């Protein structure tokens, strides 16, 4: 196709180009362009003409602005965007791909709704000289976006600031092996599934304040198993063990933790350290270590601290265990006999009359209160070792109690320090 016919055909579909070497006329409502120099694209005209898919590869694009309601399946493959890319407040009904795209200036996708896949893998944001007039306007913006399906940014290199403030990832988000040169902001971002940040590098400041990653151990374990099963369905690639998957997730959380420590933010860093330890527990469990080996002991140590205080991040949980341990000791010691019938009465009243949810806590507090009113010295445990009227059972219970309460109190003060402004 000669240059004149090439340009005329493009104009029919709202694409203004200066030159190019390949243009396929619509076949089944699809346009394919490669190795072109494009000045502008009118997406409204494309949709009016009934085009459903636009693929542009290996091209230079000078000016582009997306229509607000976009029903096209759009693929930009190794395209070089010379000027600003404006896609704010767009509803992308179908898949959008900027695979290996190069953004020379600012790119704004703020307030967009990606209803299908969003593919930004291996894209490059180019850094300009401080003398350039657009030097301070080169941020990549994904603020207030909704990603309904998979969002893939892996292996991208962002030389400028990138902002995902208030965005919502409803499906899997992949940021592994990304390089962030300047500020990276995930402020108030909501991840419904666990994102992948393994091997990511944060050279600038990282903001993950109020990021919603409130999943528990069971959700993380389920996600690791899902990824493991999905990956190993493909018979064309080598099988990857479950512990390797857990380690990949652990690496994601370690990246966040280290970046936050670098930014002197130990409070948020402790949460990501908690997720890192979750992954380590999953990894050890999948290896099925031999009894009393180092890995076996590490596994049960992780389980213990997760149950006790969620790895020093949950002060309320730690306080509950303190109350439970004291109350259980008083019951097992058997020194206050009137306590047993009273406990049964309190339990029945709480369960059937007041329908209190935290019955265990309430009953435990009642036991401690009765002990304080009757024999307060029992709570301390150490003093009981010097009593003459204790039998072998009571001595055994007291010895175990002293060791246990010391461990709980140690964990409690450590958890309290991590949840306060006091440096650890």
């Amino acid at each position: 196709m000669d240059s004149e016919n090439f340009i005329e055909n493009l104009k029919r579909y709202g694409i203004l180009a200066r030159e190019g070497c390949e243009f396929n006329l619509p076949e089944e409502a699809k346009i394919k362009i490669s190795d072109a120099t494009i000045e502008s694209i009118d997406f409204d005209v494309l949709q009016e003409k009934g085009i459903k898919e636009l693929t542009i590869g290996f091209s230079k694009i000078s000016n582009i602005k997306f229509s607000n309601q976009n029903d096209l399946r759009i693929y930009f493959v190794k395209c070089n965007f010379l000027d600003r890319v404006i896609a704010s407040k767009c509803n992308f009904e179908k898949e959008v791909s900027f695979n290996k795209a190069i953004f020379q200036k600012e790119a704004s996708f703020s307030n967009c709704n990606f209803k299908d896949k969003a593919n930004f893998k291996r894209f490059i944001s180019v850094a300009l000289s401080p003398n350039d007039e657009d030097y301070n306007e080169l941020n990549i913006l994904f603020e207030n976006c909704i990603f309904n399906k998979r969002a893939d940014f892996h292996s991208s290199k962002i030389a400028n600031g990138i902002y995902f403030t208030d965005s919502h990832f409803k499906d899997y988000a992949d940021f592994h092996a990304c390089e962030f040169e300047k500020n990276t902001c995930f402020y108030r971002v909501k991840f419904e599934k666990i994102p992948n940040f393994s091997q990511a590098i944060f050279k600038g400041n990282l903001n993950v304040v109020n990021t919603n990653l409130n999943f528990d151990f069971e959700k993380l374990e389920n996600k690791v198993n899902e990824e493991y099963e999905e990956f190993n369905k493909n018979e064309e690639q080598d099988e990857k063990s479950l512990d390797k998957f857990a380690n990949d997730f652990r690496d994601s959380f370690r990246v966040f933790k280290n970046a936050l420590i670098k930014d002197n933010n130990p409070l948020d860093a402790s949460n990501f350290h908690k997720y890192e330890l979750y992954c380590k527990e999953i990894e050890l469990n999948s290896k099925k270590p031999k009894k009393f080996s180092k890995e076996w002991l590490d596994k049960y140590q992780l389980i213990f601290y997760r149950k006790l205080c969620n790895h020093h991040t949950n002060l309320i949980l730690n306080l509950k265990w303190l109350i439970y341990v004291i109350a259980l000791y008083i019951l097992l010691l058997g020194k206050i006999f009137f306590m047993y019938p009273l406990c049964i009465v309190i339990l029945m009243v709480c369960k059937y009359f007041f329908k209190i949810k935290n019955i265990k806590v309430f009953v435990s507090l009642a036991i401690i209160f009765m002990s304080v009113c009757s024999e307060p010295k029992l709570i301390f445990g150490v003093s009981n070792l010097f009593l003459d009227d204790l039998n072998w059972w009571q001595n055994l219970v007291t010895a175990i109690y002293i060791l246990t309460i010391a461990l709980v109190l140690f964990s409690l003060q450590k958890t309290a320090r991590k949840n306060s402004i006091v440096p650890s």
Side-chain angles (χ1 to χ4, degrees):
M1 181 182 292
D2 58 41
S3 178
E4 184 178 346
N5 288 333
F6 169 81
I7 293 173
E8 288 301 317
N9 276 311
L10 288 182
K11 286 181 178 178
R12 288 171 54 196
Y13 299 102
I15 302 174
L16 181 61
R18 293 194 298 272
E19 58 184 34
C21 62
E22 182 182 345
F23 168 60
N24 295 334
L25 290 172
E27 296 176 3
E28 299 179 355
K30 297 179 181 179
I31 288 180
K32 294 182 180 179
I33 305 168
S34 64
D35 297 305
T37 300
I38 299 171
E39 291 185 357
S40 64
I41 302 173
D42 193 327
F43 288 94
D44 290 330
V45 172
L46 285 167
Q47 293 182 108
E48 288 172 6
K49 297 289 185 179
I51 304 301
K52 298 296 182 184
E53 184 176 303
L54 173 65
T55 302
I56 300 176
F58 303 92
S59 298
K60 294 180 179 179
I61 302 173
S62 296
N63 180 35
I64 185 168
K65 186 175 182 180
F66 292 84
S67 57
N68 289 342
Q69 190 68 31
N70 205 313
D71 198 26
L72 292 171
R73 184 170 278 108
I74 304 168
Y75 300 98
F76 293 99
V77 182
K78 294 185 179 179
C79 287
N80 190 346
F81 294 92
L82 304 178
D83 290 322
R84 289 182 175 86
V85 176
I86 306 298
S88 299
K89 299 180 181 179
C90 288
N91 287 315
F92 292 104
E93 299 287 340
K94 296 182 180 176
E95 183 177 356
V96 179
S97 177
F98 287 83
N99 187 15
K100 297 182 180 179
I102 300 174
F103 295 103
Q104 301 280 356
K105 300 287 181 72
E106 178 187 38
S108 177
F109 294 89
S110 295
N111 299 288
C112 285
N113 188 352
F114 296 92
K115 296 186 178 179
D116 209 322
K117 292 179 181 178
N119 181 2
F120 290 86
K121 62 186 177 185
R122 295 186 173 91
F123 86 84
I124 296 173
S125 165
V126 178
L128 295 184
S129 165
N131 297 324
D132 192 285
E133 61 180 5
D134 295 320
Y135 179 71
N136 293 319
E137 300 179 9
L138 290 175
N139 293 322
I140 308 297
L141 305 176
F142 287 95
E143 297 177 318
N144 297 293
C145 286
I146 299 174
F147 297 90
N148 291 278
K149 295 190 177 179
R150 185 185 180 101
D152 195 343
F153 293 85
H154 84 262
S155 303
S156 295
K157 295 183 179 181
I158 302 99
N160 306 292
I162 185 165
Y163 295 83
F164 290 90
T165 307
D166 290 311
S167 288
H168 186 179
F169 292 87
K170 294 186 176 182
D171 207 325
Y172 184 56
D174 189 354
F175 290 90
H176 86 266
C178 284
E179 293 184 21
F180 302 95
E181 294 284 341
K182 295 186 179 178
N183 293 342
T184 306
C185 183
F186 288 93
Y187 179 69
R188 287 195 310 221
V189 169
K190 183 176 182 180
F191 292 101
E192 291 196 13
K193 294 189 176 180
I194 302 163
N196 185 356
F197 282 89
S198 64
Q199 300 176 14
I201 299 172
F202 296 92
K203 295 182 180 179
N205 292 329
L206 171 64
N207 186 348
V208 287
V209 175
N210 293 329
T211 299
N212 188 325
L213 277 170
N214 292 326
F215 48 84
D216 54 21
F217 175 80
E218 286 72 23
K219 287 182 181 179
L220 178 56
E221 188 175 34
N222 290 336
K223 179 59 181 175
V224 173
N225 285 315
E226 285 174 12
E227 290 292 315
Y228 165 73
E229 292 171 3
E230 187 66 30
F231 181 88
N232 290 319
K233 283 180 182 178
N234 190 346
E235 297 179 355
E236 297 179 359
Q237 57 194 8
D238 295 334
E239 187 173 341
K240 189 174 181 179
S241 61
L242 182 58
D243 63 289
K244 293 291 192 300
F245 272 93
N247 191 56
D248 286 346
F249 279 98
R250 184 158 66 101
D251 188 52
S252 295
F253 300 127
R254 182 166 54 243
V255 166
F256 270 120
K257 180 194 72 176
N258 291 341
L260 289 164
I261 291 172
K262 184 186 71 174
D263 291 343
N264 196 26
N265 189 349
L267 293 180
D268 287 327
S270 65
N271 276 322
F272 288 100
H273 181 59
K274 171 184 68 178
Y275 300 138
E276 188 183 347
L277 294 176
Y278 283 176
C279 293
K280 183 63 178 177
E281 183 182 334
I282 296 167
E283 178 186 341
L284 291 173
N285 190 47
S286 68
K287 290 181 178 180
K288 295 180 171 53
K290 293 181 180 179
K291 287 185 177 180
F292 304 108
S293 66
K294 182 180 183 303
E295 288 189 335
W296 185 86
L297 292 172
D298 288 343
K299 169 188 166 183
Y300 281 98
Q301 183 181 9
L302 289 170
I303 292 173
F304 175 78
Y305 279 109
R306 173 168 60 84
K307 297 287 188 181
L308 176 62
C309 56
N310 212 356
H311 299 297
H312 305 296
T313 61
N314 193 330
L315 186 62
I316 301 300
L317 179 61
N318 212 153
L319 284 169
K320 282 183 179 179
W321 276 110
L322 177 64
I323 293 168
Y324 294 154
V325 168
I326 296 173
L328 181 62
Y329 170 64
I330 294 168
L331 285 175
L332 293 177
L333 194 63
K335 297 285 286 183
I336 307 175
F337 297 104
F338 67 84
M339 183 179 295
Y340 301 99
L342 281 176
C343 283
I344 295 173
V345 172
I346 293 170
L347 180 63
M348 300 299 289
V349 170
C350 290
K351 186 174 182 179
Y352 295 107
F353 289 92
F354 294 101
K355 296 182 179 179
I356 296 173
K357 292 182 179 180
N358 296 318
I359 294 178
K360 289 190 293 184
V361 175
F362 191 85
V363 173
S364 297
L365 286 171
I367 292 170
I368 294 172
F369 178 76
M370 285 186 280
S371 177
V372 169
C373 293
S374 177
E375 295 187 51
K377 64 180 182 179
L378 292 179
I379 294 175
F380 296 101
V382 176
S383 60
N384 298 335
L385 291 175
F386 302 99
L387 297 178
D388 296 329
D389 60 342
L390 294 185
N391 57 35
W392 69 269
W393 166 256
Q394 292 169 329
N395 279 319
L396 176 63
V397 169
T398 300
I400 294 173
Y401 170 72
I402 291 170
L403 293 174
T404 305
I405 201 70
L407 187 59
V408 172
L409 288 172
F410 171 79
S411 178
L412 182 66
Q413 64 84 26
K414 190 173 181 180
T415 306
R417 287 168 66 85
K418 283 196 172 186
N419 284 271
S420 72
I421 60 173
V422 179
S424 57

